[in-house]
Amino acid sequence: MILVSCKNEEKVTEEPVKKAVVYDMYQPSEMAGFMNAMYAYNQQLKAQIVAGETPTRLPIDLLKLHSAEMSNGKSRTQNWESFVNVFIASQEAVIDTLSTTELKERYNNAINNCLNCHKTECTGPIPKIKKLLIQ
């Protein structure tokens, strides 16, 4: 009797363990989201004014500027506080149908108030804001 032994050897190859990639997704602050909404609103205003229409309503609550959570590391400075009320008044003036100031001028005043504040507080969006001006 001859014993034949066969080993059924399987080659086991281990694949390297892949590490899961975790992306740090940008989460805008409440203030950043509000600023983006104001930008979109002012784009609409610009289009209306250029088309010869007179805007009559302000669909965003500008008082949120006083309470919206700021981006990490940012806070409301005295300089910021001095600009915010002027900005709110100038934005409300755009829709003031009783104003004797030309609509384009009132609108550009509001945008210039944005620019003046951003020159001291958060300079990043200045090029984008400049595009809102009506030439």
Side-chain angles (χ1 to χ4, degrees):
M1 224 193 278
I2 301 175
L3 290 175
V4 178
S5 170
C6 294
K7 281 189 176 180
N8 191 3
E9 291 185 30
E10 293 180 24
K11 288 188 177 182
V12 177
T13 57
E14 291 184 31
E15 292 185 27
V17 177
K18 294 181 181 179
K19 292 183 179 181
V21 178
V22 178
Y23 295 100
D24 187 15
M25 298 298 288
Y26 170 71
Q27 294 294 323
S29 68
E30 185 180 9
M31 182 62 79
F34 187 70
M35 291 284 176
N36 285 329
M38 283 194 314
Y39 180 81
Y41 167 70
N42 280 296
Q43 279 183 310
Q44 290 174 345
L45 273 180
K46 179 181 178 179
Q48 283 181 301
I49 294 166
V50 169
E53 299 172 21
T54 303
T56 57
R57 65 182 201 88
L58 185 63
I60 49 180
D61 180 9
L62 294 175
L63 294 180
K64 282 187 179 181
L65 288 168
H66 292 291
S67 62
E69 179 187 329
M70 308 266 304
S71 298
N72 290 341
K74 301 286 183 183
S75 62
R76 288 172 176 80
T77 64
Q78 187 174 8
N79 192 41
W80 189 89
E81 290 291 346
S82 68
F83 279 112
V84 72
N85 290 324
V86 172
F87 170 73
I88 290 171
S90 66
Q91 194 75 63
E92 289 172 341
V94 174
I95 62 164
D96 181 2
T97 56
L98 300 176
S99 177
T100 57
T101 306
E102 181 187 351
L103 178 57
K104 176 183 164 184
E105 183 180 342
R106 287 181 280 149
Y107 171 81
N108 279 341
N109 284 341
I111 301 306
N112 281 319
N113 281 323
C114 293
L115 289 168
N116 290 334
C117 184
H118 278 276
K119 286 177 183 174
T120 62
E121 295 301 317
C122 178
T123 59
I126 288 175
K128 186 176 175 180
I129 296 168
K130 283 182 177 180
K131 292 177 184 176
L132 290 173
L133 291 167
I134 299 174
Q135 302 303 319

